[in-house]
């Protein structure tokens, strides 16, 4: 909304005056907080004023003032100050004051009280993390935070996170002052707010402000607060990082800028190129060549985070990676692209936002939304995607870390935003087959064989490298085993599966034993044991980590002198997104009891409106876990 200059100056002066007034004359009276703001809040933001000024494409500064009352331990995140800086940003000043319920100062911190943590061990970086965790004797407390950051070039404009989960807001404002020749773009998410806009000489100002916002309840298994809760995202049109000016008004232009960073980092010696050509000389086609080269990368190169200079974005040269045998995500991916090119295969770096259930980059709002780099090999029908930082990922399989996103391919013609594959349930399978030798005193031996594919293979591969005690704890907590005696891994299966054997000797296998009967669980493990969060008034979509198939089969060899008495009723259930069945049967001739169960989840993202249905389905599986097999003496 355009407003005249006089009104704008008056409004801005009032905001600045109010901020300064509150900093010196803080209202500690929590009774004055509006009931709708205080109710169910762990934290209430009493006053917040954020000012961001951009004077040139590589010059900016940020000033944040925040006053918040913390009512209980659940709001303790407000007592953590954490800030990362690098070559292009510096923390100029910090002052933090903590007051008790009566307004008495109990702690005060300045910049010199917060020791920055630099990169450690295998991390090579210019990053510094300023971290302070404030301990308080009791609640309630009020925290006053005032800090300034100076930028020497960035395409990361700050996001105005208007409200966090379980937080009420009395007053908050976000002011952006930017050179008119540069200007910016913005996108409001989960709120219709609209800034006041005005011009002042060579500058343009935007002001967003809110008052008396009620808390939004935190909901488990939703995406990040920036994606799910009210916020304003900013993005530059033009920027400059180090000596590289760029344009972020389109994905294509951003890709052209990134291409400049790649010049000179994609070379290998003639000797190494010939080495790779010889390695794949007998391959039957391009895909076999790709598999051979990817396997070689996984077995001979390791991941190290590198954040030196413009290293957060510019890969180290391929010939350096070749010599050092290490690299970060962009370095290893750049190396893979260079190696593939040496054998005549075209591929591209793909920048992506990685982590489980991250929201895909917005095609309609170009801004830097990424934190990872992978490789895309275009195909006539389907592209092949490679995760170059993992030693265990299967060829062409991304997994939940980067699947179902929008990746920015850095092509010779600029950036192209394309979707990554979405995994199917049939690609994430775990099967368990258990044999139980039951003795007449209730003791016995069990042997469980797991075979896993996709996400579950990765889970077991990670487990394989853990200490024995940690492996046992995982099997107890994750799958409900009592006390595994021996765990053995076998990764020799050539069908991209991983095999795990688990043996137990137990003094008591039945849940209950009387003089004449034993009450047995149909399975020695829990195929499903998670109690999903409550469904009442769910507002956010619910995310599982991945779609999956879980299969369990159990064979019980009964002891001599015992016979079948009762079996659980078979179960078959389904909903829009999942299905489940279980049944048990008795082989009288073999004197064996069999049980089988299977869960299929076809979609990992459950819309909020359908979540109650899905919760009811999985709660039903938990109820079925109470069923027992009963055997009795003949």
């Amino acid at each position: 909304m355009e407003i005249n200059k006089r009104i704008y100056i008056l409004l801005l002066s009032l905001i600045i005056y109010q901020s300064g007034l509150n900093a010196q004359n803080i209202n500690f009276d929590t009774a004055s907080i509006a009931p709708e703001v205080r109710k169910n809040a762990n934290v209430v933001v009493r006053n917040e004023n954020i000012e961001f000024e951009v004077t040139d494409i590589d010059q900016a500064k940020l000033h944040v003032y925040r006053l918040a009352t913390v009512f209980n331990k659940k709001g303790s995140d407000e007592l953590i100050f954490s800030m990362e800086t690098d070559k292009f940003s510096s923390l100029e000043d910090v002052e933090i004051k903590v007051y008790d319920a009566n307004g008495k100062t109990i702690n005060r911190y300045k910049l010199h009280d917060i020791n920055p943590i630099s990169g450690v061990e295998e991390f090579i970086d210019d990053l510094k993390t300023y971290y302070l965790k404030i301990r308080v004797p009791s609640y309630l407390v009020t925290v006053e935070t005032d800090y300034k950051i100076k930028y020497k070039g960035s395409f990361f404009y700050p996001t105005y996170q208007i409200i966090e989960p379980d937080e009420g807001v009395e007053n908050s404002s976000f002011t952006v002052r930017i050179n008119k020749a540069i200007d910016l773009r913005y996108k409001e998410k989960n709120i219709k707010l609209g800034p006041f806009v005005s011009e002042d000489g060579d500058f343009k100002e935007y002001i967003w402000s809110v008052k008396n916002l009620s808390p939004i309840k935190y909901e488990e298994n939703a995406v990040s607060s920036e994606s799910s809760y009210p916020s304003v995202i900013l993005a530059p049109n033009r920027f400059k990082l180090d000596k590289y000016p760029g344009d972020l008004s389109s994905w294509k232009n951003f890709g052209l800028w990134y291409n400049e960073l790649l010049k000179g980092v994609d070379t290998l010696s003639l000797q190494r190129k010939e080495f790779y050509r010889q390695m794949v000389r007998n391959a039957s086609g391009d895909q076999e060549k790709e598999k051979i080269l990817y396997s070689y990368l996984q077995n001979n190169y390791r991941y190290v985070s590198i954040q030196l200079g413009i290293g957060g974005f510019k890969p180290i040269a391929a010939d350096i990676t070749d010599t050092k045998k290490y690299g970060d995500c962009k370095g290893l991916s750049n190396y893979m692209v260079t190696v593939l090119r040496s054998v005549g295969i075209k591929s591209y770096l793909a920048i992506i936002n990685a982590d489980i259930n991250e929201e895909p980059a917005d095609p309609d709002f170009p801004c830097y939304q990424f934190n990872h780099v992978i490789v895309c090999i275009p195909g006539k029908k389907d592209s092949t995607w490679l995760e170059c930082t993992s030693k265990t990922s299967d060829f062409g399989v991304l997994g939940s870390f980067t699947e179902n996103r929008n990746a920015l391919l850095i092509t010779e013609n600029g950036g192209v935003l394309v979707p990554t594959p979405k995994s199917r349930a049939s690609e994430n399978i775990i099967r368990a087959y258990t044999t139980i030798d039951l003795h007449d005193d209730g003791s016995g031996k069990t042997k469980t064989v797991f075979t896993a594919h996709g996400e579950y293979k990765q889970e077991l591969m990670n487990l394989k490298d853990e200490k024995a005690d940690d492996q046992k704890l995982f099997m107890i907590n994750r799958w409900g085993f009592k006390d595994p005696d021996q765990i053995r891994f076998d990764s020799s299966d050539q069908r991209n599966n991983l095999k795990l054997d688990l043996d137990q000797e137990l003094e008591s296998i039945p849940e209950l034993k009387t003089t004449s009967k034993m009450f047995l669980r149909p399975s020695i493990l829990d195929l499903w044991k998670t109690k999903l969060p409550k469904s009442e008034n769910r507002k956010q979509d619910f995310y599982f980590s991945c779609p999956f198939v879980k299969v369990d089969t159990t064979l019980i060899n009964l002891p001599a002198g015992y016979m079948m008495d009762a079996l659980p009723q078979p179960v078959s259930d389904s909903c829009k997104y999942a299905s489940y069945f279980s049944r048990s049967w008795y082989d009288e001739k073999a004197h064996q009891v069999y049980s089988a169960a299977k869960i299929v989840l076809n979609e990992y993202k459950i819309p909020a409106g359908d979540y109650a249905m899905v919760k009811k389905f999985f709660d039903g599986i938990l109820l079925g876990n109470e069923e027992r097999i009963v055997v009795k003496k003949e």
Side-chain angles (χ1 to χ4, degrees):
M1 180 192 310
E2 293 288 341
I3 59 176
N4 68 52
K5 183 177 179 181
R6 180 173 297 178
I7 295 175
Y8 166 77
I9 292 174
L10 177 61
L11 177 62
L12 182 59
S13 298
L14 285 172
I15 290 173
I16 294 173
Y17 171 76
Q18 186 67 34
S19 174
L21 182 65
N22 284 353
Q24 298 177 29
N25 302 291
I26 299 171
N27 177 16
F28 293 100
D29 179 18
T30 57
S32 67
I33 300 173
E36 67 272 17
V37 176
R38 172 66 182 91
K39 186 179 180 181
N40 299 322
N42 299 323
V43 174
V44 169
V45 178
R46 313 299 301 273
N47 189 29
E48 180 179 56
N49 185 37
I50 304 169
E51 299 173 357
F52 181 58
E53 183 176 71
V54 183
T55 55
D56 206 340
I57 59 175
D58 60 350
Q59 298 293 327
K61 55 186 178 181
L62 176 70
H63 182 193
V64 176
Y65 174 83
R66 180 178 171 95
L67 182 73
T69 297
V70 184
F71 290 93
N72 52 56
K73 188 176 181 179
K74 292 180 180 178
S76 61
D77 281 356
E78 188 69 34
L79 299 171
I80 296 174
F81 178 83
S82 181
M83 185 65 59
E84 279 191 353
T85 63
D86 56 23
K87 178 182 177 181
F88 306 106
S89 62
S90 59
L91 185 60
E92 299 290 290
D93 191 24
V94 178
E95 184 171 17
I96 301 171
K97 295 179 183 178
V98 185
Y99 307 91
D100 65 14
N102 297 316
K104 179 183 177 182
T105 304
I106 56 177
N107 281 306
R108 181 175 179 176
Y109 306 91
K110 301 284 283 184
L111 180 57
H112 60 76
D113 297 315
I114 310 173
N115 294 320
I117 304 169
S118 298
V120 294
E121 294 183 358
E122 292 188 341
F123 288 76
I124 306 171
D125 59 43
D126 282 335
L127 292 177
K128 290 182 179 179
T129 300
Y130 292 84
Y131 182 85
L132 175 67
K133 184 174 183 179
I134 302 169
R135 302 187 184 279
V136 295
S138 62
Y139 297 93
L140 91 193
V141 295
T142 297
V143 185
E144 185 181 22
T145 304
D146 195 336
Y147 66 89
K148 298 177 181 178
I149 300 175
K150 184 177 181 180
Y151 300 95
K152 293 187 294 183
S154 176
F155 41 62
F156 295 111
Y157 280 11
T159 293
Y160 179 30
Q161 192 63 53
I162 296 171
I163 191 169
E164 296 279 359
D166 299 323
E167 174 185 276
V169 177
E170 281 195 299
N171 294 284
S172 178
S173 69
F174 182 51
T175 301
V176 180
R177 176 178 167 85
I178 189 166
N179 191 309
K180 286 192 297 186
I182 303 171
D183 210 355
L184 54 73
R185 291 169 293 113
Y186 67 87
K187 183 167 187 176
E188 296 167 347
K189 302 193 69 174
N190 306 303
I191 193 171
K192 292 182 179 180
L193 188 58
F196 291 100
V197 182
S198 183
E199 294 185 4
D200 180 17
D202 292 334
F203 286 85
K204 192 172 184 179
E205 288 93 2
Y206 300 80
I207 299 178
W208 290 266
S209 61
V210 295
K211 290 177 67 69
N212 292 334
L213 298 183
S214 300
I216 301 174
K217 187 172 180 58
Y218 170 75
E219 294 182 334
E220 295 180 54
N221 294 79
V223 295
S224 64
S225 59
E226 187 173 304
S227 300
S228 303
Y229 297 90
S231 63
V232 180
I233 301 173
L234 306 180
N237 293 311
R238 296 188 296 119
F239 64 91
K240 184 178 181 182
L241 202 59
D242 202 38
K243 60 182 179 180
Y244 298 93
D247 184 317
L248 192 46
S249 61
S250 72
W251 291 119
K252 178 180 178 179
N253 287 344
F254 183 71
L256 292 173
W257 174 81
Y258 206 96
N259 266 329
E260 291 297 310
L261 303 186
L262 301 180
K263 289 182 177 180
V265 301
D266 57 352
T267 58
L268 284 176
S269 67
L270 294 176
Q271 180 182 7
R272 291 299 284 172
K273 289 180 181 179
E274 183 59 25
F275 169 79
Y276 283 116
R277 293 188 189 108
Q278 289 300 313
M279 183 182 293
V280 299
R281 68 184 185 280
N282 296 322
S284 59
D286 281 354
Q287 188 172 83
E288 187 177 350
K289 291 179 182 179
E290 295 158 12
K291 287 182 179 180
I292 292 171
L293 296 174
Y294 181 62
S295 177
Y296 183 81
L297 177 81
Q298 288 182 302
N299 293 327
N300 293 276
Y301 294 80
R302 62 191 177 94
Y303 171 80
V304 175
S305 179
I306 300 173
Q307 306 291 335
L308 289 172
I310 200 169
F313 312 98
K314 182 182 178 72
I316 62 173
D319 53 359
I320 295 177
T321 300
D322 187 65
T323 301
K324 300 294 185 180
K325 298 294 186 288
Y326 64 65
D328 59 5
C329 63
K330 57 193 172 295
L332 293 173
S333 296
N334 175 63
Y335 185 68
M336 190 70 201
V337 168
T338 304
V339 169
L340 288 167
R341 185 187 302 117
S342 73
V343 299
I345 297 174
K346 177 181 284 189
S347 60
Y348 298 116
L349 292 185
I351 312 174
I352 196 165
N353 56 328
D355 208 348
I356 293 177
N357 296 333
E358 281 294 307
E359 187 178 49
D362 187 343
D364 300 323
F365 189 73
C367 69
Y368 197 80
Q369 307 169 37
F370 313 111
N371 60 1
H372 191 51
V373 180
I374 56 179
V375 170
C376 177
I377 308 173
K380 293 181 180 179
K381 294 183 178 179
D382 295 312
S383 297
T384 299
W385 299 85
L386 302 178
E387 172 55 72
C388 296
T389 64
S390 172
K391 289 183 173 294
T392 59
S393 292
D394 293 327
F395 174 81
V397 177
L398 288 180
S400 59
F401 195 57
T402 50
E403 70 178 6
N404 200 30
R405 311 291 160 78
N406 291 323
L408 185 67
L409 302 191
I410 308 302
T411 76
E412 57 273 13
N413 298 316
V416 180
L417 203 64
V418 298
T420 61
K422 178 182 177 181
S423 72
R424 299 182 294 272
S426 59
E427 295 171 338
N428 303 304
I429 302 176
I430 189 161
R431 294 184 176 90
Y433 189 97
T434 301
T435 302
I436 301 175
D437 292 327
L438 180 63
H439 302 154
D440 58 7
D441 64 353
S443 65
K445 294 182 177 181
T446 75
K447 179 181 179 64
T448 302
V449 179
F450 285 99
T451 54
H453 183 71
E455 283 295 301
Y456 295 107
K457 176 189 173 183
Q458 290 299 309
E459 183 178 273
L460 295 186
M461 288 292 285
N462 293 335
L463 180 66
K464 182 180 178 181
D465 296 327
E466 297 292 333
K467 296 178 181 178
D469 288 345
D470 292 333
Q471 291 176 344
K472 288 185 177 184
L473 283 174
F474 177 86
M475 300 310 295
I476 292 169
N477 295 328
R478 179 75 163 84
W479 292 101
F481 284 92
K482 289 186 176 180
D483 187 14
D485 295 306
Q486 188 175 39
I487 298 176
R488 299 185 306 278
F489 291 90
D490 177 8
S491 55
S492 61
D493 194 317
Q494 297 302 310
R495 295 171 298 175
N496 292 329
N497 291 324
L498 176 70
K499 183 179 176 184
L500 179 151
D501 294 345
L502 187 148
D503 297 338
Q504 298 182 107
E505 289 191 22
L506 301 173
E507 292 183 1
S508 179
I509 291 177
E511 294 288 292
L512 175 66
K513 184 180 184 301
T514 67
T515 55
S516 61
K517 292 185 178 183
M518 297 187 198
F519 295 79
L520 304 161
R521 294 177 62 192
S523 174
I524 202 168
L525 58 86
D526 294 317
L527 197 60
W528 182 262
K529 61 180 295 185
T530 303
K531 180 74 172 178
L532 296 185
K534 66 179 184 179
S535 58
E536 291 82 2
N537 301 315
R538 178 88 189 188
K539 303 296 184 184
Q540 307 292 332
D541 296 340
F542 182 92
Y543 287 79
F544 292 88
S545 60
C546 65
F548 61 76
V549 177
K550 295 185 177 184
V551 182
D552 175 49
T553 305
T554 301
L555 164 63
I556 305 175
N557 292 308
L558 297 182
Y562 275 81
M563 60 181 294
M564 179 54 55
D565 184 43
L567 290 170
Q569 292 295 311
V571 176
S572 180
D573 192 15
S574 65
C575 67
K576 183 178 178 180
Y577 301 96
S579 62
Y580 171 73
F581 91 89
S582 67
R583 70 185 183 98
S584 300
W585 65 98
Y586 177 52
D587 185 335
E588 185 175 1
K589 184 177 180 180
H591 206 48
Q592 296 172 328
V593 183
Y594 286 86
S595 294
K598 181 179 182 179
I599 306 173
V600 179
L601 176 70
N602 291 309
E603 295 288 341
Y604 77 101
K605 178 182 177 181
I606 310 300
D610 290 338
Y611 174 67
M613 170 211 313
V614 173
K615 175 175 169 54
K616 181 180 178 181
F617 170 82
F618 280 100
D619 284 352
I621 296 176
L622 292 178
L623 289 174
N625 290 346
E626 304 300 318
E627 295 290 330
R628 296 293 179 259
I629 295 168
V630 184
V631 297
K632 65 181 181 180
K633 286 186 177 180
E634 296 178 351

